[in-house]
Amino acid sequence: MPSPAPTYDLGRLHGGLRLAAHKSASTGLPVQSPPLPAQLILPIDQHVGEPARPLVGIGEHVLRGQLLAESTGTLGAPVHASSSGKVVAIEPWPVAGRRGDPAPCIVIECDGDDRAVESRGNPVPYAELPGDEVLRRILQGGIVGLGGAVYPTAQKLMQAAAGELEYLILNGAECEPYISCDDMLMRERAGDIVSGAQILLHALGLDSACIVVESDKPDAIKQLAAAMTDAADERLVLKQVPTIYPSGGEDQLVQLVTDREVPSGGLPTDVGCLVQNVGTAAAIHDWLRDGEPLVSRITTISGDGIAQPMNVRARIGTTVAELVQFAGGYTDSARHLVIGGPMTGKSVSTDRVPLVKATNCILVLSEVPQPGPELPCIRCGECAAVCPVQLQPQQLFWYACADDERQLRSHGLTDCIECGCCDLVCPSHIPLTYDFRMAKARIRELEDEKARAERARRRFEARNERLQREQRERETELARQKETARKAGPDAIAEIMKRKQQDDGD
Amino acid sequence: MEFERLEAPYLAPTANVAGIMQQVLLALVPAAIAHVWFFGPGLVFNLVVAATACVGGEALMMRLRGRPAVSALSDYSALVTAALLAFALPSLTPWWITATAALFAIIVAKHLYGGLGFNIFNPAMAGYVAVLVAFPMQLNLWVAPRMGDIDYQFLTVLQTLKYTLTGSLPDMLTYDQVSRATPLDAMKTGLNDMRTPAEIRSLPVMGDFGGVGWEWIGNLIAIGGFWLMIRKVIRWHIPLGVGAGLLIPAGLMWLLSPGTEPSPGFHMFSGAAMLCAFFIATDPVSAAASPKGRFVYGAGIGFLIYAIRTWGADVDGVAYAVLIMNMAVPAIDRITRPRIVGHARNARAP
């Protein structure tokens, strides 16, 4: 007997901010398709976990959807060719990674034919396959979380399936300003999201999924509702959440939808929840129903530094420069290039970086008003009032300045989700999020150091023990010799003593 | 194309310290006007002296500490300290007392503790208490409010200025002719003389709740305070805490013994209680951190005001109440720390 459909009790989120959305600029046009680029740059490290291992050689001709690099280790995702062409290089290339260093990339010179591999067009009859088989298939599609965290989807699903799962939550909240790629996806491909949700329900053996959309996306909600009516699937529920940043954060969404808190240091699965981005659901549909692995994604190109803001469905590996050019190019005021949104995105110095699976937004901003010199914290508490995790950033800041690791931990530094809300409301213009990132890095360093010291200590102790053992062995040996000598008679002893005196004399 | 790198987030902050301090100053303007109307121009002279000393002291200390003086002066916090001092001191105060209070506030209470953001004690209250201890006589000289119907020698602007500069009254006038007991003083003395509150309340200096003039200033301070709340410059926790801490014990005692206890309304509208609730206790630097902590902090101040007024030697006690609770802030912060999302409900950190 199926368990009753879960109720979704809208929980309350602490704090958060109502930010100017800036989304309408990029939602005026339907999702555009930029022309095939001449060259594709495909990093082998587009996901959380181990980089993929290249399977192709330089000079090799590849087809769209062909496996270029396979996933290695327990956590990882494969990389596929986004179009057909020739592999011309495997070399470091600037990417918008976590550290901004160049990363190894497979460079393909496109032949313009865009020929796909054979397997295309054979829908996987997933309903006839057992759940874990479906998960294995998803693994092969190179699919990662498209909300920006790029955690390999298959592994996330497998980990979730191993535990007690109650809720599947499809994240269409998209709370960060400017970004509208999920909004456009929900408007234009609601049916594919619903189909992806059905695949996920089957693979996980769940009875209910909830698609969650922020209230400022009425068109997306309308299209999703229509698609759900078409699918006539009672397992699916559509839910609106208030438009408050950062309601789209994974843990925050769980809290909003189920009124459960993800435990500190834990995962949503610890409270029976699995969150997947709506884009990920559509990608799963594309792979299992259309045979197309993750070789393209919708990304928002926006900001006051862009002539014609829009959403594009672009091939993974297209450079940002080409996409911006397609969106009318830069305006004269363009100063900063951000990969991601204005709250959590990564500022990069060059537009040669490629579009990767994680790229949900290309944001070009004019001069960001520099808040002027940082003033001392006046403990006004506004940061604590807006913190969605209910931290006290003013206290954390104090301990970060003092480098007090113990207090930083006990005040929840590691619970900080780096949403940036505190930065925006700080009247002293303290870059709190940045300071906390640095403090976290220092704590990690300290931990590494501790681990090294621990290893050194153990080695030292082992050495001491070994020396003591050797000493004991020598003493036993000496005693044995003495014993033998005693048995041999007083002369022998005198001989030994004499020798010993000589030794000591030396 | 090449771009300049920044750190997230990339949106401009929405508030600044100078803006906050300016709004606090602005919120005091109506009360200041009423103060001048009822008690003469002394407040303005106090303000000029205090502001000069505060700004000068701030500049000096920043120089000594090897930091740019402009950055400290442009945050207006020294002016807020000056304004609070000007309100706290009697309108007839010789300049050297005001300047001493201001310099003590800025140099000792603020900068010796590390400057803005690091001071444990409310600077204005520390400065006020310093001169209260050093010059108790002069700080008891409160002029009577403009009442119209009583025989009272009102000082002219020039006479007030002269007093501020020299500390001496015009010839022919004595302290007794220009000063009057404050409502709190009158109440305390009256109760000590075994009079009932009702009798004391019939004195000409008494108004509907507090003293004549004082209650109007109280009203305007409250309006300024509510405006700051609407502007989200201050939050409601501390004012409500002070109100609750003062009014609940005062109300209970008044209900139990109306013949010997002044009404809670009298408490709220007398002395510096209202100013404390909205402007003094709400100084975030020296207050507790969390909303709950701030309520507790405010309630502690409110209760101490009541306790000092009722059982203590000092007639008002606001400054002492604030300074005592300043000392309690670390403990309050520890006890009232909000639970972090995802942490167990009753977990107490080490």
Side-chain angles (χ1 to χ4, degrees):
Chain A
M1 192 187 138
S3 57
T7 54
Y8 295 97
D9 303 318
L10 236 46
R12 263 172 53 86
L13 199 61
H14 182 263
L17 285 176
R18 289 178 194 279
L19 298 170
H22 294 291
K23 292 190 192 233
S24 52
S26 57
T27 56
L29 294 170
V31 176
Q32 305 289 302
S33 298
L36 269 182
Q39 210 180 34
L40 290 164
I41 293 99
L42 295 157
I44 58 169
D45 182 13
Q46 297 188 40
H47 46 261
V48 175
E50 298 285 312
R53 182 170 51 221
L55 296 172
V56 291
I58 292 169
E60 199 169 318
H61 192 267
V62 294
L63 299 174
R64 172 158 59 91
Q66 185 177 331
L67 189 63
L68 292 182
E70 63 179 1
S71 87
T72 56
T74 48
L75 193 58
V79 177
H80 298 82
S82 314
S83 186
S84 60
K86 198 168 81 172
V87 177
V88 290
I90 299 175
E91 61 182 16
W93 193 280
V95 294
R98 267 161 293 170
R99 283 175 214 85
D101 305 330
C105 293
I106 300 174
V107 183
I108 296 173
E109 213 170 72
C110 297
D111 56 17
D113 297 341
D114 200 24
R115 272 195 302 132
V117 289
E118 296 287 301
S119 77
R120 228 190 112 78
N122 303 328
V124 174
Y126 72 88
E128 295 157 24
L129 297 173
D132 50 348
E133 176 58 26
V134 176
L135 294 182
R136 248 195 307 284
R137 296 285 177 100
I138 292 174
L139 182 61
Q140 293 159 2
I143 298 164
V144 296
L146 293 182
V150 289
Y151 196 88
T153 300
Q155 277 101 336
K156 185 172 173 180
L157 294 172
M158 286 169 185
Q159 284 157 11
E164 296 261 319
L165 207 54
E166 285 174 71
Y167 302 95
L168 170 64
I169 298 166
L170 290 188
N171 186 351
E174 199 170 45
C175 55
E176 213 169 332
Y178 290 100
I179 311 178
S180 59
C181 60
D182 288 347
D183 186 8
M184 294 308 286
L185 177 84
M186 291 186 283
R187 291 189 202 187
E188 297 189 3
R189 297 183 54 208
D192 297 347
I193 295 170
V194 168
S195 159
Q198 289 170 323
I199 298 174
L200 283 169
L201 283 177
H202 172 75
L204 296 165
L206 281 175
D207 299 317
S208 179
C210 178
I211 306 179
V212 188
V213 187
E214 261 190 357
S215 53
D216 66 342
K217 302 175 183 61
D219 288 352
I221 291 171
K222 210 168 73 190
Q223 294 301 327
L224 278 169
M228 283 160 68
T229 311
D230 288 348
D233 192 334
E234 285 176 359
R235 297 174 301 173
L236 302 176
V237 184
L238 184 61
K239 210 78 191 175
Q240 257 187 71
V241 289
T243 308
I244 294 173
Y245 177 82
S247 61
E250 200 171 58
D251 296 358
Q252 284 64 47
L253 199 65
V254 167
Q255 200 180 341
L256 269 175
V257 176
T258 67
D259 205 11
R260 295 177 186 184
E261 291 178 8
V262 177
S264 169
L267 293 170
T269 46
D270 295 336
V271 288
C273 295
L274 174 71
V275 183
Q276 288 290 342
N277 181 264
V278 287
T280 315
I284 289 172
H285 163 88
D286 289 346
W287 171 230
L288 292 185
R289 305 303 290 166
D290 295 344
E292 178 101 326
L294 188 57
V295 295
S296 68
R297 70 157 295 150
I298 302 179
T299 193
T300 305
I301 307 174
S302 192
D304 53 3
I306 293 288
Q308 173 59 63
M310 58 169 68
N311 275 277
V312 295
R313 186 179 175 106
R315 300 300 166 91
I316 308 289
T318 315
T319 61
V320 164
E322 280 167 296
L323 292 174
V324 169
Q325 205 177 13
F326 179 71
Y330 298 105
T331 62
D332 293 337
S333 62
R335 289 290 174 281
H336 306 286
L337 172 61
V338 176
I339 304 298
M343 296 298 285
T344 61
K346 174 101 189 156
S347 168
V348 293
S349 57
T350 170
D351 57 5
R352 290 173 70 226
V353 297
L355 176 90
V356 291
K357 293 171 183 176
T359 313
N360 50 7
C361 185
I362 295 165
L363 185 64
V364 182
L365 296 170
S366 61
E367 205 69 60
V368 174
Q370 283 306 298
E374 177 183 334
L375 293 174
C377 167
I378 58 166
R379 288 165 47 91
C380 66
E382 285 306 304
C383 48
V386 299
C387 179
V389 201
Q390 219 167 320
L391 297 173
Q392 291 187 293
Q394 77 272 46
Q395 307 287 79
L396 276 175
F397 172 67
W398 184 274
Y399 295 123
C401 291
D403 224 349
D404 187 336
E405 186 206 348
R406 198 176 65 90
Q407 288 288 5
L408 281 171
R409 277 181 199 278
S410 93
H411 280 77
L413 177 70
T414 50
D415 293 296
C416 170
I417 59 168
E418 297 177 25
C419 63
C421 286
C422 50
D423 277 52
L424 254 52
V425 297
C426 178
S428 296
H429 306 152
I430 302 168
L432 292 161
T433 311
Y434 174 74
D435 289 342
F436 297 157
R437 262 202 300 273
M438 293 295 117
K440 281 182 188 173
R442 274 203 301 279
I443 282 191
R444 268 197 303 275
E445 255 170 51
L446 267 176
E447 270 169 7
D448 289 353
E449 219 166 274
K450 260 189 211 154
R452 272 200 302 279
E454 176 66 20
R455 277 200 299 278
R457 188 181 63 82
R458 261 187 268 134
R459 187 171 302 143
F460 177 71
E461 281 172 1
R463 174 178 172 273
N464 278 355
E465 208 171 294
R466 195 186 68 237
L467 291 180
Q468 278 170 12
R469 197 178 59 237
E470 284 169 7
Q471 177 76 23
R472 273 197 307 276
E473 281 167 6
R474 267 202 304 280
E475 280 166 7
T476 326
E477 175 62 19
L478 200 64
R480 198 183 55 77
Q481 283 176 7
K482 273 184 183 165
E483 183 64 19
T484 326
R486 196 177 55 79
K487 279 178 185 160
D491 295 347
I493 290 177
E495 179 68 19
I496 288 170
M497 291 308 285
K498 205 170 117 198
R499 203 183 303 152
K500 190 172 187 301
Q501 269 165 6
Q502 275 173 356
D503 282 357
D504 291 349
D506 293 347
Chain B
M1 194 166 149
E2 300 300 306
F3 300 89
E4 194 190 328
R5 285 210 52 221
L6 297 172
E7 290 293 338
Y10 312 101
L11 299 178
T14 50
N16 63 75
V17 174
I20 287 176
M21 300 291 175
Q22 283 165 353
Q23 292 181 66
V24 171
L25 289 173
L26 202 58
L28 279 171
V29 167
I33 292 171
H35 201 288
V36 170
W37 167 258
F38 283 111
F39 297 99
L43 178 85
V44 177
F45 299 140
N46 285 351
L47 190 59
V48 172
V49 174
T52 311
C54 281
V55 169
E58 182 113 327
L60 174 76
M61 288 311 285
M62 289 301 275
R63 238 189 129 85
L64 287 178
R65 295 171 63 204
R67 285 153 202 239
V70 182
S71 77
L73 296 176
S74 60
D75 65 26
Y76 289 82
S77 63
L79 285 180
V80 171
T81 301
L84 293 180
L85 265 177
F87 268 96
L89 293 167
S91 55
L92 277 188
T93 304
W95 70 269
W96 58 88
I97 294 180
T98 312
T100 306
L103 290 175
F104 187 88
I106 294 294
I107 295 176
V108 179
K110 189 175 178 185
H111 279 282
L112 291 190
Y113 280 91
L116 180 68
F118 296 92
N119 47 297
I120 336 179
F121 294 107
N122 183 310
M125 290 302 102
Y128 175 69
V129 164
V131 292
L132 191 60
V133 172
F135 309 95
M137 282 294 290
Q138 283 87 340
L139 288 200
N140 257 331
L141 187 65
W142 292 86
V143 298
R146 178 195 296 269
M147 290 179 288
D149 60 338
I150 66 165
D151 168 36
Y152 170 66
Q153 193 72 42
F154 205 77
L155 290 181
T156 64
V157 174
L158 272 177
Q159 286 168 333
T160 311
L161 180 61
K162 186 185 169 221
Y163 185 84
T164 308
L165 294 176
T166 64
S168 58
L169 290 168
D171 304 337
M172 326 290 293
L173 281 179
T174 62
Y175 284 120
D176 281 350
Q177 282 171 294
V178 295
S179 78
R180 287 292 183 278
T182 64
L184 276 172
D185 246 333
M187 182 62 75
K188 192 151 205 158
T189 325
L191 289 173
N192 285 346
D193 292 349
M194 306 303 285
R195 281 191 247 176
T196 65
E199 276 179 279
I200 304 165
R201 305 249 352 153
S202 63
L203 292 173
V205 290
M206 294 295 181
D208 296 330
F209 289 105
V212 171
W214 293 99
E215 52 194 14
W216 274 106
I217 297 171
N219 281 333
L220 291 169
I221 285 173
I223 288 171
F226 282 118
W227 180 74
L228 287 181
M229 278 195 219
I230 293 167
R231 306 278 303 165
K232 288 197 171 166
V233 171
I234 60 172
R235 304 248 170 179
W236 54 268
H237 309 88
I238 291 176
L240 190 73
V242 174
L246 175 60
L247 295 182
I248 290 174
L252 279 177
M253 295 297 272
W254 179 64
L255 286 176
L256 290 175
S257 169
T260 59
E261 292 283 332
S263 72
F266 175 77
H267 273 292
M268 200 66 223
F269 282 94
S270 301
M274 199 69 92
L275 187 69
C276 173
F278 289 102
F279 289 88
I280 300 172
T282 48
D283 162 38
V285 176
S286 54
S290 69
K292 207 205 285 176
R294 288 183 170 184
F295 181 80
V296 172
Y297 169 80
I301 291 176
F303 177 75
L304 284 173
I305 293 174
Y306 176 78
I308 294 170
R309 281 179 180 181
T310 308
W311 302 298
D314 200 42
V315 286
D316 196 348
V318 163
Y320 294 111
V322 170
L323 294 179
I324 291 169
M325 289 312 288
N326 284 163
M327 288 189 269
V329 159
I332 296 173
D333 278 349
R334 207 181 151 79
I335 296 165
T336 58
R337 216 153 93 188
R339 184 187 63 87
I340 298 166
V341 172
H343 284 239
R345 269 185 205 278
N346 44 14
R348 185 62 65 219

